[in-house]
Amino acid sequence: MELIEIYGSDLVHSHRQEERYEQALALFSEAFGSGPVDVFRVPGRVNLIGEHTDYSQGYVLPVALDRDVLFIARPRTDGTIRLANAEAAFPPESFVLSDAISPAVHGHWSNYVRGASQMMAQRLGATRGMDVLVDGRAPWGIPRGAGLSSSSALTVAAAVALEHVNGLAVDRQVLAEACGYAEWYVGTRGGIMDQFAALLSHQGHALFLDCRPEAGTGRYHTQAVPLPPEYAIVVVNSGVRHRNTSPLFNTRVAEVRSAVALVQQRFPQVRSLRDLEGIPWESYVDLLPEEQSPDDLAQRGISLATLMNGGIMPDSVNLQVRARCRHVTGENARVLAAVEALAQGDVERLAKLMREAHASARDNFDISTPELESLVRLAEEIPGVKGARLTGAGWGGCIVALVPVTSVETFVSRVPQGYQRATGLRAEAFVCSAGHGASRVTEYTRS
Ligand code: NG1
């Protein structure tokens, strides 16, 4: 795709994208010498509604950002992958492509590329390596640790580059699902929302995704949902960073997996919380204690270690099974209602659902923070603003809000000002122009 198709002519110029691409290419040549290259870009995403539902095979409604990571690759004749990064904080690395790649130290940036590479070798037969420059620098890059999927963008970028240099042509759904699995390499046990959003989004649209594959075909239902033209989707980054490789994220995964194991004792057909759709809450709630320790679970014949299958976990944990289940089942219903509201152009209803989603994320899923609460309050004070809610994994990161296009300027200046007064922290507010999924950027690709 050409830059104009990817970003639209306004953003190409206002964000000086040409200059950015040229700089990244120059850094590539500095690291690896001049010659042919392929240029890929993969976006982050903001989630409108459907939080922490994807790893329970639920519904989600993300929107791809126009902020992305650049991934410049040159095929090699051997299986080595050499990595350089535009940011000095991320030191160069190299490893050999195989179906068993050892990880770098916990938290190392190359682990996302290692995970994607191992998956491409294991599942798709990739054997050819590449030299790579990654450029995720601000202001065009995806803010990191902000719940905007910078890690999945890097994983997907490595996968699409390896797909290309190995001459493969993989179905986008197959690749997105495989990238979800690839990210487990870093120890998390997340879902597939971010990888689908990164690969399958359409400009100007949200991506409705049903994370439960269809029985028999294994295909996922996706639908591009148009966004209301009179509203901008504005993201505000609290500046409080969260890493999903901390045990908090997997604790939520453990809680929902425990809920499934407990419900299975009466409803053996239930494989994920999504399968509770259509089963009345009253008929299983007695199986779900407010709190459960791994020992309590063991007494019921359920092993947490087996449920987590190698995923990182804190040393001691109390699992809040009932409240987490209440969130996920309610959130799935809200996503379906939100898609319907968008189809009917009913922004009031969408906003109500987003507010309810926020309350549930805070009260049932316990992923909000004082900073996110402060941002939501400040956003709601701006006249006409609707549906402000935390977005992404939580414990920091961002809020998202629907802002009338006429109030965007007021919003992006006032909310960060109020936030700084209230918390002493700096917030960045930016408009998300719903962007395209991953693309190969033709005018910078040199053969
Ligand atoms: P972010 O918001 O990028 O940290 C994480 C998970 C998603 C999803 C959301 C919560 C990964 C790679 N990402 O995303 O799958 O569960 O939290 O809705 O695990």
Side-chain angles (χ1 to χ4, degrees):
M1 284 178 98
E2 305 258 313
L3 282 195
I4 296 272
E5 291 170 80
I6 298 168
Y7 303 104
S9 53
D10 288 357
L11 285 187
V12 168
H13 300 303
S14 64
H15 287 195
R16 305 208 313 269
Q17 291 285 357
E18 290 104 338
E19 207 176 304
R20 171 200 189 198
Y21 277 78
E22 293 296 348
Q23 276 179 17
L25 285 167
L27 289 174
F28 182 95
S29 305
E30 238 170 68
F32 302 112
S34 53
V37 286
D38 276 295
V39 179
F40 304 89
R41 45 75 56 185
V42 180
R45 64 98 190 93
V46 59
N47 193 18
L48 274 190
I49 191 164
E51 225 58 85
H52 288 272
T53 50
D54 59 345
Y55 51 87
S56 290
Q57 296 201 319
Y59 305 110
V60 292
L61 192 62
V63 178
L65 300 175
D66 50 15
R67 296 194 174 198
D68 50 19
V69 63
L70 301 190
F71 202 93
I72 304 182
R74 175 182 298 152
R76 292 175 58 88
T77 49
D78 61 11
T80 303
I81 296 183
R82 291 197 296 173
L83 295 176
N85 198 303
E87 291 170 83
F90 303 113
E93 267 286 317
S94 93
F95 57 91
V96 176
L97 180 60
S98 85
D99 56 11
I101 299 171
S102 26
V105 288
H106 183 69
H108 196 281
W109 74 282
S110 72
N111 283 339
Y112 294 102
V113 183
R114 286 169 193 262
S117 306
Q118 176 174 287
M119 175 280 289
M120 289 299 287
Q122 274 175 1
R123 292 200 176 183
L124 299 158
T127 52
R128 192 169 189 187
M130 56 190 177
D131 290 337
V132 172
L133 177 100
V134 176
D135 187 352
R137 285 177 296 175
W140 315 273
I142 308 157
R144 280 181 290 269
L148 300 175
S149 289
S150 60
S151 60
S152 301
L154 183 54
T155 303
V156 168
V160 293
L162 279 172
E163 176 194 28
H164 194 81
V165 304
N166 281 278
L168 304 166
V170 186
D171 174 88
R172 295 293 93 175
Q173 286 204 3
V174 171
L175 194 63
E177 186 190 55
C179 284
Y181 158 76
E183 230 172 298
W184 287 13
Y185 183 89
V186 302
T188 53
R189 290 294 178 267
I192 55 170
M193 160 168 66
D194 304 350
Q195 300 79 8
F196 268 78
L199 277 163
L200 285 132
S201 292
H202 294 278
Q203 204 164 45
H205 292 73
L207 180 76
F208 170 69
L209 167 66
D210 179 347
C211 299
R212 184 170 69 186
E214 197 182 75
T217 65
R219 303 297 293 171
Y220 292 87
H221 173 66
T222 63
Q223 188 190 329
V225 180
L227 292 162
E230 66 281 20
Y231 285 85
I233 296 173
V234 183
V235 177
V236 191
N237 186 353
S238 69
V240 178
R241 287 180 71 159
H242 168 74
R243 280 172 177 265
N244 288 340
T245 47
S246 92
L248 284 170
F249 185 85
N250 272 2
T251 301
R252 293 295 175 276
V253 179
E255 290 169 322
V256 301
R257 289 187 182 182
S258 304
V260 171
L262 289 163
V263 170
Q264 271 173 350
Q265 300 186 327
R266 187 173 301 152
F267 297 95
Q269 77 279 18
V270 169
R271 294 266 163 264
S272 67
L273 289 188
R274 163 65 184 291
D275 297 336
L276 293 174
E277 205 173 44
I279 305 180
W281 172 254
E282 302 71 42
S283 64
Y284 58 82
V285 64
D286 60 300
L287 298 169
L288 302 173
E290 293 288 355
E291 270 195 19
Q292 257 316 247
S293 70
D295 286 347
D296 299 332
L297 284 174
Q299 276 172 21
R300 294 169 186 241
I302 300 166
S303 152
L304 186 61
T306 308
L307 286 182
M308 289 309 287
N309 189 21
I312 34 173
M313 282 296 289
D315 295 336
S316 98
V317 64
N318 241 327
L319 305 163
Q320 318 259 316
V321 181
R322 186 180 293 186
R324 309 307 185 230
C325 182
R326 189 184 295 121
H327 169 75
V328 174
T329 50
E331 188 80 350
N332 279 333
R334 283 188 287 274
V335 178
L336 292 182
V339 172
E340 208 177 274
L342 274 166
Q344 293 163 350
D346 189 344
V347 178
E348 293 298 335
R349 181 153 172 242
L350 172 65
K352 181 168 176 284
L353 292 159
M354 289 172 72
R355 282 199 311 275
E356 287 168 7
H358 178 74
S360 177
R362 179 190 59 217
D363 303 335
N364 292 318
F365 225 66
D366 199 15
I367 54 172
S368 192
T369 62
E371 293 83 7
L372 292 172
E373 291 304 312
S374 163
L375 282 179
V376 165
R377 261 195 313 276
L378 289 159
E380 282 171 344
E381 279 169 16
I382 311 278
V385 168
K386 299 199 186 301
R389 62 174 288 272
L390 70 81
T391 182
W395 299 288
C398 297
I399 67 155
V400 62
L402 304 172
V403 180
V405 282
T406 47
S407 310
V408 167
E409 246 175 75
T410 314
F411 185 98
V412 299
S413 72
R414 271 214 228 145
V415 172
Q417 274 167 19
Y419 182 68
Q420 185 150 25
R421 270 197 302 275
T423 63
L425 298 170
R426 293 172 75 86
E428 185 205 6
F430 62 93
V431 174
C432 156
S433 323
H436 269 296
S439 19
R440 182 163 164 262
V441 188
T442 35
E443 65 257 61
Y444 292 100
T445 287
R446 290 168 191 164
S447 44

